[in-house]
Amino acid sequence: MTKGISRRQMLTALGGAVVGGALVSAMPAAAAPSLPMGQVWTPHKLDPVACAPYAHEGYWHNGYGCCYGVFYSIVGTMGEKYGAPYNQFPFHMMEVGKSGISEWGTICGALLGAASAFAMFWGRKERDPMVDELFRWYEKTALPVYNPGADSRVPDAIPTNVAGSVLCHVSVSKWSYETGIDANSKVRSERCGRLTADVAMKAIEIMNAKIDGTFKGAFAKQDSVAYCGDCHGKGKESPLLKGKQDCTPCHSGTDHTQNKFKNHP
């Protein structure tokens, strides 16, 4: 972190503001180098522990949320350390990923922010295994783990749970169901703020390993995906399946996944 500049000041500086339709940044103007079509930026290794507070604070910054928090903690940190082109990105646009993309509860915005950062540095063939590793980790890990200490917006410890899904709707709803905490509460928001830091740290670990040439996925394909894929998929008996996420949250046959609109009182 730049001496004398707090995380909140840096978020404001690099995050910029929109005035009259133009992006205004508090950082010194610098001409971003022109890159040939399709060329990606050069990634730099980062300290995941040092970046975590930026992710957590970024979640709360202007209410921008999880996608912004993760993306900023990666690309924004590079902007602070290395200048252009990293500090030229219109970071505020990543707010669209909040609450599963504009409150739609689809992909967890923290994961979208990380995958977007990956995409700035690696093409699809190299990036996809990195995304697979991060998303499978998210499905299977009890979160949140990160504790912001004095920067926490709530005084209490935050209970953890295993989401079992990369969807915001499932992740938040399951956590609220298991903990009994209102999904619209500040405690739940702090849960997602801490989870944002967790995702940022894991994403940076994956990026660092990729830069070092040591990246190797530790999480195998989910059992349900492998099982369902035996019959459903490209070239299979029933080519209906599209996707890699765990099948069980939506297809387990439990009371919670039945047709709630049929004969509903």
Side-chain angles (χ1 to χ4, degrees):
M1 182 170 62
T2 302
K3 185 177 180 180
I5 300 179
S6 71
R7 285 194 299 274
R8 295 183 185 182
Q9 289 173 320
M10 187 56 63
L11 284 161
T12 299
L14 287 189
V18 178
V19 179
L23 176 66
V24 179
S25 174
M27 294 295 288
S34 177
L35 298 177
M37 182 68 70
Q39 183 173 327
V40 294
W41 293 359
T42 300
H44 295 277
K45 291 179 66 176
L46 297 170
D47 181 348
V49 174
C51 291
Y54 284 94
H56 177 263
E57 187 64 39
Y59 170 88
W60 289 100
H61 179 68
N62 289 338
Y64 282 175
C66 47
C67 182
Y68 174 89
V70 171
F71 187 87
Y72 182 89
S73 73
I74 297 172
V75 182
T77 300
M78 291 186 194
E80 179 186 343
K81 293 171 65 69
Y82 302 103
Y86 315 98
N87 64 355
Q88 301 299 302
F89 191 90
F91 294 97
H92 67 282
M93 71 171 285
M94 303 308 292
E95 184 269 341
V96 72
K98 180 181 178 181
S99 298
I101 304 180
S102 296
E103 307 289 340
W104 272 75
T106 60
I107 185 69
C108 170
L111 296 176
L112 176 60
S116 299
F118 291 168
M120 295 191 73
F121 307 118
W122 289 280
R124 185 184 305 167
K125 185 176 181 180
E126 293 187 309
R127 179 184 70 244
D128 283 358
M130 300 168 67
V131 171
D132 290 348
E133 178 72 358
L134 180 67
F135 283 29
R136 288 169 180 159
W137 164 85
Y138 182 97
E139 285 185 334
K140 298 180 178 181
T141 304
L143 299 172
V145 175
Y146 178 74
N147 188 335
D151 289 332
S152 177
R153 264 52 176 196
V154 299
D156 303 321
I158 303 293
T160 66
N161 83 313
V162 177
S165 173
V166 295
L167 300 179
C168 171
H169 167 69
V170 177
S171 179
V172 170
S173 298
K174 185 178 178 182
W175 179 85
S176 292
Y177 175 78
E178 292 181 357
T179 63
I181 299 173
D182 187 342
N184 300 300
S185 66
K186 192 170 185 178
V187 176
R188 196 280 305 157
S189 292
E190 175 64 14
R191 173 260 185 185
C192 288
R194 296 185 184 191
L195 182 149
T196 296
D198 288 325
V199 171
M201 287 192 288
K202 185 62 178 180
I204 292 169
E205 288 177 8
I206 292 171
M207 290 180 62
N208 288 346
K210 183 67 174 179
I211 294 169
D212 286 339
T214 60
F215 170 71
K216 184 179 294 185
F219 289 84
K221 182 183 294 186
Q222 306 90 316
D223 291 342
S224 65
V225 176
Y227 175 81
C228 295
D230 284 342
C231 296
H232 299 285
K234 185 177 180 180
K236 301 296 179 64
E237 177 182 350
S238 180
L240 304 177
L241 186 148
K242 180 68 174 177
K244 301 177 182 179
Q245 62 183 300
D246 193 340
C247 307
T248 53
C250 298
H251 299 283
S252 60
T254 65
D255 290 341
H256 299 291
T257 56
Q258 301 305 306
N259 188 348
K260 296 300 181 182
F261 299 97
K262 184 177 181 180
N263 299 324
H264 188 74

